[in-house]
């Protein structure tokens, strides 16, 4: 059972505003108090927040392949152990393990591994929570494959998906697919019926077809701007559809590489902070040195902040969530409330777990991060457990 903790003296970013010099109490893995007066109840530990620090809801990364040497497709417990234990360093307290287009056998091994790890690993209670699976591919367009290996792209097959759904134990939460490859939107309609998010991505569809897919239930867009039909004033494509349709929520990689800073700002101005979900789309090289790595069975060269296939195609990112938040603030001058929405609340709403995650409110999971004014992570608490404390914080 998690110790009870009281954090005092921080700026607490809640659903309704920022509590200045506030108090945040956590008991039994849940948030028990958030206010501007010290609570009367006692706590096992009382921690003073560093000056000018902020408490934010823990970040939720719904599109992450890997990092720190691990990848979802490794299909072993150690990979998920690594991600769960290391992600709190960057402010991520829960995530969706994301697959890539591969041989069916490899995808199935990864799905089963997530199911078994989630139900049996002791690590699952200590670090970032694995909320489920984001199945990216293989039902995508070869014309917009990006870093998805073309040789393993598969025609959309609802029966095959249902097999994978069973293997994953119901843990598939998002499916990225190209709607033009989904005859009569049969898979999109099935996903909607099962409360699984159909996400339009790696698609070359027209704006008209995308609008029809959205009506069928695909109200989510995978990594806006990337691997989708381009914008033209006479054919807005995937980009224009995502920006203009108010009911579509769009993922966004805010590293300034996958999308120019002005494109990031355009997305923010068009969608607002209520309809954007910041993601990393990171691969195993995140947190490691420059070099050559593997992603989806392909060699990826990492130099600086960029990961590229041999033909120059971007192959995921090495972005950390807190770095993305810092860049988002720099590109858009958005508020801390906006950051809380785009890194946590919107993802929780999409996944249907806003009753327990996504904001700082009494009764919700004690998933919180402490950050300075530059988005550096000073501490991360996952379901009441201190998962990461930086050397800059004296909470011994």
């Amino acid at each position: 059972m998690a110790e009870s903790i009281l954090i005092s003296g921080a700026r607490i970013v809640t659903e309704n505003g920022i509590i200045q010099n506030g108090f945040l109490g956590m008991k039994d893995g849940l948030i028990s108090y958030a206010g501007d007066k010290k609570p009367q109840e006692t706590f096992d530990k009382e921690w003073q927040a560093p000056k000018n620090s902020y408490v934010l809801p823990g970040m939720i990364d719904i599109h992450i392949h890997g990092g720190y040497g691990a990848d979802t497709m490794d299909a072993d417990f150690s990979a998920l152990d690594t991600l769960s234990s290391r992600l709190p360093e960057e402010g991520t307290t829960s995530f969706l393990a994301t697959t890539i287009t591969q041989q069916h056998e490899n995808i199935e091994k990864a799905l089963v591994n997530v199911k078994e790890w989630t139900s049996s690993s002791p690590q699952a209670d200590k670090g970032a929570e694995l909320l489920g699976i984001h199945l990216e591919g293989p039902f995508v367009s070869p014309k917009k494959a990006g870093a998805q290996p073309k040789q393993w792209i598969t025609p959309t097959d609802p029966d095959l998906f249902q097999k994978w759904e069973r293997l994953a134990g119901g843990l598939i939460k998002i499916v990225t697919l190209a709607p033009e490859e989904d005859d009569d939107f049969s898979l999109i309609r099935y996903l909607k019926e099962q409360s699984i998010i159909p996400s339009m991505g790696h698609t070359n569809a027209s704006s008209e077809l995308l609008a029809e897919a959205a009506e069928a239930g695909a109200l989510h867009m995978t990594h806006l701007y990337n691997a989708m039909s381009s914008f033209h004033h006479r054919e807005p494509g995937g980009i224009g559809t995502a920006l203009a349709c108010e009911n579509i929520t769009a993922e966004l990689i805010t590293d300034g590489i996958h999308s120019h800073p002005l494109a990031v700002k355009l997305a923010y101005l068009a969608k607002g902070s209520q309809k954007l979900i910041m993601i990393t789309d990171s691969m195993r090289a995140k947190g490691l040195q420059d070099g050559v790595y593997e992603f989806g069975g392909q060699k990826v060269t990492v130099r600086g902040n960029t990961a590229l296939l041999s033909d120059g195609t971007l192959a995921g990112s090495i972005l950390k969530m807190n770095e993305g938040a810092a860049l988002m603030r720099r590109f858009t001058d958005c508020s801390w409330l906006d950051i809380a929405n785009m890194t946590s609340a919107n993802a929780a709403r999409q996944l249907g777990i806003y009753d327990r995650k996504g904001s700082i409110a009494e009764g919700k999971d004690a998933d919180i991060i402490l950050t300075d004014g530059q988005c550096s992570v000073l501490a991360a608490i996952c379901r009441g457990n201190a998962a990461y404390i930086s050397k800059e914080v004296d909470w011994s």
Side-chain angles (χ1 to χ4, degrees), residues 58-62 94 131 278 321 343-344 347-348 351 353 357-358:
M59 297 179 179
I60 303 172
D61 193 351
I62 64 171
S94 50
L131 299 171
M278 289 169 50
M321 279 292 281
T343 62
S344 190
L351 294 172
I353 57 171
K357 292 188 185 292

Side-chain angles (χ1 to χ4, degrees), residues 31-79:
I31 296 170
S32 62
Y33 177 81
D36 58 3
K37 293 181 173 57
K38 187 173 183 179
Q40 297 298 312
E41 56 188 319
T42 59
F43 294 83
D44 296 328
K45 291 182 178 179
E46 294 192 16
W47 289 341
Q48 179 66 37
K51 188 177 180 181
N52 297 324
S53 59
Y54 291 81
V55 174
L56 293 166
M59 297 179 179
I60 303 172
D61 193 351
I62 64 171
H63 191 149
I64 170 175
H65 296 275
Y68 310 100
D71 189 287
T72 298
M73 297 300 291
D74 292 345
D76 58 37
F77 275 24
S78 64

